[in-house]
Amino acid sequence: MHTTDTDIIIKTGEILARHPADATALLPILRDIQAALCHVPHQAMIEISQALGIPLTRIQGVTEFYAFLSTEAVGRYDIRLSDSISDHLLGSRELGAYFAHALGVEPGITRQDGVVSFDYTACTGLCDQGPAGLVNGYALSRLDRQRVNEIVDRVNRQIPLADWPSAWFEVEDNIRRSDLLLESTWTPGAALQQTLTRGVAATLEEMIRSGLRGRGGAGYTTAQKWRFCREAGTAETPRYVICNADEGEPGTFKDRVLLNRHAHAVFEGMTVCAALIGAREGILYLRGEYLHLYERLEAVLEDRRRAGLLGRHVLGQAGFDFDIRLFLGAGAYICGEESALIESLEGKRGVPRNRPPYPVTHGYLNSPTVVNNVETFAAAASIALYGGAWFATAGTEKSRGSKLLSISGDCERPGIYEYPFGVTLKTVLADCGAAAAFGVQVGGPSGTFVARAEFDRTLGYEDLATGGSFMVFGPERDILAIARNFTHFFAHESCGFCTPCRVGTALLKNTLDKICEGHGTPFDLVELTDIARLVQGTSHCGLGQTAANPILTTLARYPEHYQARLKAIRFEPGFDLDGSLATARALTGRDDAQAHLAQTETA
Ligand SMILES: Cc1cc2nc3c(=O)[nH]c(=O)nc-3n(C[C@H](O)[C@H](O)[C@H](O)COP(=O)(O)O)c2cc1C
Ligand code: SF4
């Protein structure tokens, strides 16, 4: 199918008409164009540039930045297989080779007829039901050869996705253990009503009493963040509430489940926050891989509007106007970093900002903004309803409440487990059926590898902090293959803004590849450690600062595994020095003199 410039202009015009004409709509517009035309053609960029008043180069830069946008056409069926280590453990690489062969494509290259393309992508957030992938952005779980054959058949017959069996797109919640959050039951609006009855100041007190810390990884005190935002600017200053549902850390999928099961709690937490800080607009930044949740979340928002829980005069309270909109990402792990996320919302590449100033004072559109994780907002809603003391009784001194873990890998029962903070790894592993585990990656690639001897360690800010990724590895697994997968991930996801991370992650990847392939020397191992420290110490943001963790944490625990891969160095002279000099000795007549000297020395 050939698309002319006129077709592109017409299609782009239709898409532009559905969006506001400003830069904050750039990413949604580009997503729509990609979906309609299988790429973002240059002519479409020209049209967008004129309509939004944004330089063409910026539109090009944004298109090239996001993995789900492309300047070259992908197939009308764009298939991507998750490259997470959890999927690898389930045989995804072998399945991927089979898939590509069956489709008749080279990974990364669109089939000549333009019908299909196949490639690998970063973790799709389905590690509990892999091998997983995406087709035109929609999640496919539990793939095997039979399903692959069925998909190939439908692709070749060009059957529309809407006519594929709906069971193929079903995503399970797999909740295995519930505690404080997942057990609490309440009706939509109850926490908000309680907030308004109790009063804003008193509810902020409850938040302080709860000791709630952010669940996205960094663990900043939530009440403090909200208070700073409330106090920033003047009464007229616009304020924003942003829910970070980018959930890109490989092995994490608890936000997916919260949004599927407890979307009301998340939206209610955002609305409680809005009441406390005085915001009128909320945005939920949903990672592109969770496209399957989009319509469901829109429906929940619509329900809440109908119930008077969003919109003008929320719960009949004059002056309390607040609404929430969804915003889809486009495949960039770095956009989980809060300032990169804000850049993305503003229609830019997801490059982390210099901080300070922090988003609480200068966030979205330079206004005071609260950015919190999905789980943080869900917890905040429950705290608003049940009070701070209810929450604070669970957990430990510095880590109050409970934590949702996304458990995947070599265990019998992968899924979501909620525990009070302070639980030992041993308990978690026994519960998920992984008593024989050899190690656990706590907190995803940016976290820590914990060896079997350390399974008495506890989850919490006092010991092992985690955003929730918990990947289990059995005794047969290759520790270097794990570190290699994570190192490739960071090199791929580096936004390229600062040199230590851009160059350093590539060097780490190349050096580790060399060692894994048996070509490394002791010098490479020293180099690896030096580069790792440099990247860790000099990178601009958290991605670069943690990108070397997989190497450093595994090297500290298993140096012998690295040593064993090094090329053996033996002292074999490269050439025969004595033999090479023989001719010269003969020519200069020194041969006899040497022999005489040798005889004298022996005597
Ligand atoms: C590279 C990188 C990726 C991140 N990804 C996420 C993410 O996917 N979800 C999230 O909530 N926080 C993520 N964060 C942390 C956010 O920057 C921010 O601290 C968090 O959204 C604040 O919310 P919280 O206080 O509720 O945890 C990431 C940080 C970095 C450096
Ligand atoms: S550390 Fe990496 S991800 Fe962060 S700004 Fe620098 S290049 Fe970008």
Side-chain angles (χ1 to χ4, degrees), residues 334 352 493-498 501-502 539-541 543-545:
I334 190 58
E493 296 297 330
S494 165
C495 83
F497 168 74
C498 66
C501 171
R502 185 183 65 251
S539 288
H540 173 67
C541 84
L543 188 151
Q545 288 153 14

PDB file of all heavy atoms in Angstrom, residues 334 352 493-498 501-502 539-541 543-545, ligand 2:
ATOM      1  N   ILE A 334      13.451   5.694  30.781  1.00  0.00           N
ATOM      2  CA  ILE A 334      13.899   6.902  31.481  1.00  0.00           C
ATOM      3  C   ILE A 334      12.712   7.805  31.846  1.00  0.00           C
ATOM      4  O   ILE A 334      12.798   8.602  32.782  1.00  0.00           O
ATOM      5  CB  ILE A 334      14.953   7.670  30.642  1.00  0.00           C
ATOM      6  CG1 ILE A 334      15.611   8.797  31.448  1.00  0.00           C
ATOM      7  CG2 ILE A 334      14.383   8.199  29.344  1.00  0.00           C
ATOM      8  CD1 ILE A 334      16.304   8.375  32.702  1.00  0.00           C
ATOM      9  N   PRO A 352      16.129  13.794  31.737  1.00  0.00           N
ATOM     10  CA  PRO A 352      15.970  14.307  33.102  1.00  0.00           C
ATOM     11  C   PRO A 352      16.480  15.745  33.243  1.00  0.00           C
ATOM     12  O   PRO A 352      17.500  16.104  32.660  1.00  0.00           O
ATOM     13  CB  PRO A 352      16.826  13.351  33.940  1.00  0.00           C
ATOM     14  CG  PRO A 352      16.926  12.112  33.131  1.00  0.00           C
ATOM     15  CD  PRO A 352      16.929  12.553  31.696  1.00  0.00           C
ATOM     16  N   GLU A 493      18.689   1.825  27.228  1.00  0.00           N
ATOM     17  CA  GLU A 493      17.749   2.827  27.745  1.00  0.00           C
ATOM     18  C   GLU A 493      18.401   4.158  28.117  1.00  0.00           C
ATOM     19  O   GLU A 493      17.688   5.114  28.440  1.00  0.00           O
ATOM     20  CB  GLU A 493      16.997   2.268  28.962  1.00  0.00           C
ATOM     21  CG  GLU A 493      16.116   1.066  28.647  1.00  0.00           C
ATOM     22  CD  GLU A 493      14.987   1.383  27.662  1.00  0.00           C
ATOM     23  OE1 GLU A 493      14.514   2.526  27.636  1.00  0.00           O
ATOM     24  OE2 GLU A 493      14.590   0.477  26.902  1.00  0.00           O
ATOM     25  N   SER A 494      19.732   4.232  28.113  1.00  0.00           N
ATOM     26  CA  SER A 494      20.393   5.505  28.416  1.00  0.00           C
ATOM     27  C   SER A 494      19.852   6.572  27.472  1.00  0.00           C
ATOM     28  O   SER A 494      19.781   6.341  26.260  1.00  0.00           O
ATOM     29  CB  SER A 494      21.901   5.347  28.211  1.00  0.00           C
ATOM     30  OG  SER A 494      22.502   6.629  28.170  1.00  0.00           O
ATOM     31  N   CYS A 495      19.477   7.730  28.020  1.00  0.00           N
ATOM     32  CA  CYS A 495      18.866   8.752  27.153  1.00  0.00           C
ATOM     33  C   CYS A 495      19.904   9.478  26.326  1.00  0.00           C
ATOM     34  O   CYS A 495      19.569  10.210  25.401  1.00  0.00           O
ATOM     35  CB  CYS A 495      18.036   9.727  27.975  1.00  0.00           C
ATOM     36  SG  CYS A 495      18.987  11.055  28.729  1.00  0.00           S
ATOM     37  N   GLY A 496      21.179   9.294  26.661  1.00  0.00           N
ATOM     38  CA  GLY A 496      22.248   9.852  25.839  1.00  0.00           C
ATOM     39  C   GLY A 496      22.623  11.280  26.180  1.00  0.00           C
ATOM     40  O   GLY A 496      23.505  11.861  25.556  1.00  0.00           O
ATOM     41  N   PHE A 497      21.990  11.850  27.193  1.00  0.00           N
ATOM     42  CA  PHE A 497      22.229  13.267  27.513  1.00  0.00           C
ATOM     43  C   PHE A 497      23.632  13.518  28.067  1.00  0.00           C
ATOM     44  O   PHE A 497      24.295  14.474  27.698  1.00  0.00           O
ATOM     45  CB  PHE A 497      21.156  13.741  28.502  1.00  0.00           C
ATOM     46  CG  PHE A 497      21.436  15.068  29.135  1.00  0.00           C
ATOM     47  CD1 PHE A 497      21.282  16.239  28.401  1.00  0.00           C
ATOM     48  CD2 PHE A 497      21.857  15.157  30.458  1.00  0.00           C
ATOM     49  CE1 PHE A 497      21.541  17.466  28.993  1.00  0.00           C
ATOM     50  CE2 PHE A 497      22.117  16.380  31.048  1.00  0.00           C
ATOM     51  CZ  PHE A 497      21.957  17.542  30.307  1.00  0.00           C
ATOM     52  N   CYS A 498      24.087  12.649  28.985  1.00  0.00           N
ATOM     53  CA  CYS A 498      25.404  12.919  29.581  1.00  0.00           C
ATOM     54  C   CYS A 498      26.416  11.839  29.176  1.00  0.00           C
ATOM     55  O   CYS A 498      26.068  10.665  29.037  1.00  0.00           O
ATOM     56  CB  CYS A 498      25.307  13.074  31.096  1.00  0.00           C
ATOM     57  SG  CYS A 498      24.849  11.608  31.993  1.00  0.00           S
ATOM     58  N   CYS A 501      27.249   8.308  31.177  1.00  0.00           N
ATOM     59  CA  CYS A 501      26.246   7.252  31.035  1.00  0.00           C
ATOM     60  C   CYS A 501      26.168   6.782  29.589  1.00  0.00           C
ATOM     61  O   CYS A 501      26.169   5.579  29.309  1.00  0.00           O
ATOM     62  CB  CYS A 501      24.898   7.752  31.550  1.00  0.00           C
ATOM     63  SG  CYS A 501      23.526   6.659  31.209  1.00  0.00           S
ATOM     64  N   ARG A 502      26.127   7.735  28.649  1.00  0.00           N
ATOM     65  CA  ARG A 502      25.985   7.347  27.235  1.00  0.00           C
ATOM     66  C   ARG A 502      27.149   6.462  26.795  1.00  0.00           C
ATOM     67  O   ARG A 502      26.952   5.369  26.263  1.00  0.00           O
ATOM     68  CB  ARG A 502      25.918   8.604  26.352  1.00  0.00           C
ATOM     69  CG  ARG A 502      25.660   8.303  24.892  1.00  0.00           C
ATOM     70  CD  ARG A 502      25.681   9.552  24.024  1.00  0.00           C
ATOM     71  NE  ARG A 502      26.983  10.186  23.981  1.00  0.00           N
ATOM     72  CZ  ARG A 502      27.296  11.352  24.555  1.00  0.00           C
ATOM     73  NH1 ARG A 502      26.371  12.038  25.209  1.00  0.00           N
ATOM     74  NH2 ARG A 502      28.510  11.846  24.470  1.00  0.00           N
ATOM     75  N   SER A 539      27.380  10.115  36.674  1.00  0.00           N
ATOM     76  CA  SER A 539      26.213  10.260  35.789  1.00  0.00           C
ATOM     77  C   SER A 539      25.225  11.289  36.327  1.00  0.00           C
ATOM     78  O   SER A 539      25.139  11.516  37.534  1.00  0.00           O
ATOM     79  CB  SER A 539      25.513   8.913  35.603  1.00  0.00           C
ATOM     80  OG  SER A 539      26.296   8.075  34.802  1.00  0.00           O
ATOM     81  N   HIS A 540      24.464  11.837  35.408  1.00  0.00           N
ATOM     82  CA  HIS A 540      23.546  12.936  35.725  1.00  0.00           C
ATOM     83  C   HIS A 540      22.319  12.482  36.522  1.00  0.00           C
ATOM     84  O   HIS A 540      21.826  13.208  37.383  1.00  0.00           O
ATOM     85  CB  HIS A 540      23.112  13.573  34.397  1.00  0.00           C
ATOM     86  CG  HIS A 540      22.041  14.602  34.497  1.00  0.00           C
ATOM     87  ND1 HIS A 540      22.228  15.813  35.113  1.00  0.00           N
ATOM     88  CD2 HIS A 540      20.755  14.604  34.040  1.00  0.00           C
ATOM     89  CE1 HIS A 540      21.109  16.520  35.033  1.00  0.00           C
ATOM     90  NE2 HIS A 540      20.199  15.815  34.383  1.00  0.00           N
ATOM     91  N   CYS A 541      21.797  11.294  36.226  1.00  0.00           N
ATOM     92  CA  CYS A 541      20.556  10.901  36.902  1.00  0.00           C
ATOM     93  C   CYS A 541      20.633   9.467  37.421  1.00  0.00           C
ATOM     94  O   CYS A 541      21.630   8.771  37.218  1.00  0.00           O
ATOM     95  CB  CYS A 541      19.356  11.061  35.964  1.00  0.00           C
ATOM     96  SG  CYS A 541      19.090   9.652  34.882  1.00  0.00           S
ATOM     97  N   LEU A 543      19.437   6.730  36.454  1.00  0.00           N
ATOM     98  CA  LEU A 543      19.674   5.609  35.538  1.00  0.00           C
ATOM     99  C   LEU A 543      21.168   5.306  35.474  1.00  0.00           C
ATOM    100  O   LEU A 543      21.600   4.188  35.730  1.00  0.00           O
ATOM    101  CB  LEU A 543      19.113   5.905  34.146  1.00  0.00           C
ATOM    102  CG  LEU A 543      19.141   4.727  33.159  1.00  0.00           C
ATOM    103  CD1 LEU A 543      18.022   4.821  32.135  1.00  0.00           C
ATOM    104  CD2 LEU A 543      20.466   4.558  32.438  1.00  0.00           C
ATOM    105  N   GLY A 544      21.948   6.336  35.176  1.00  0.00           N
ATOM    106  CA  GLY A 544      23.391   6.134  35.071  1.00  0.00           C
ATOM    107  C   GLY A 544      23.999   5.760  36.419  1.00  0.00           C
ATOM    108  O   GLY A 544      24.895   4.912  36.494  1.00  0.00           O
ATOM    109  N   GLN A 545      23.478   6.379  37.477  1.00  0.00           N
ATOM    110  CA  GLN A 545      24.046   6.115  38.807  1.00  0.00           C
ATOM    111  C   GLN A 545      23.840   4.673  39.259  1.00  0.00           C
ATOM    112  O   GLN A 545      24.549   4.183  40.130  1.00  0.00           O
ATOM    113  CB  GLN A 545      23.448   7.094  39.829  1.00  0.00           C
ATOM    114  CG  GLN A 545      23.967   8.518  39.657  1.00  0.00           C
ATOM    115  CD  GLN A 545      22.982   9.560  40.146  1.00  0.00           C
ATOM    116  OE1 GLN A 545      22.018   9.245  40.844  1.00  0.00           O
ATOM    117  NE2 GLN A 545      23.198  10.811  39.776  1.00  0.00           N
TER     118      GLN A 545
HETATM  119  S1  SF4 B   2      22.577   9.335  33.435  1.00  0.00           S
HETATM  120 FE1  SF4 B   2      21.989   8.369  31.478  1.00  0.00          FE
HETATM  121  S2  SF4 B   2      19.786   8.430  31.469  1.00  0.00           S
HETATM  122 FE2  SF4 B   2      20.481   9.888  33.028  1.00  0.00          FE
HETATM  123  S3  SF4 B   2      20.667  11.842  31.967  1.00  0.00           S
HETATM  124 FE3  SF4 B   2      22.658  10.882  31.783  1.00  0.00          FE
HETATM  125  S4  SF4 B   2      22.538   9.774  29.819  1.00  0.00           S
HETATM  126 FE4  SF4 B   2      20.451  10.250  30.398  1.00  0.00          FE
END
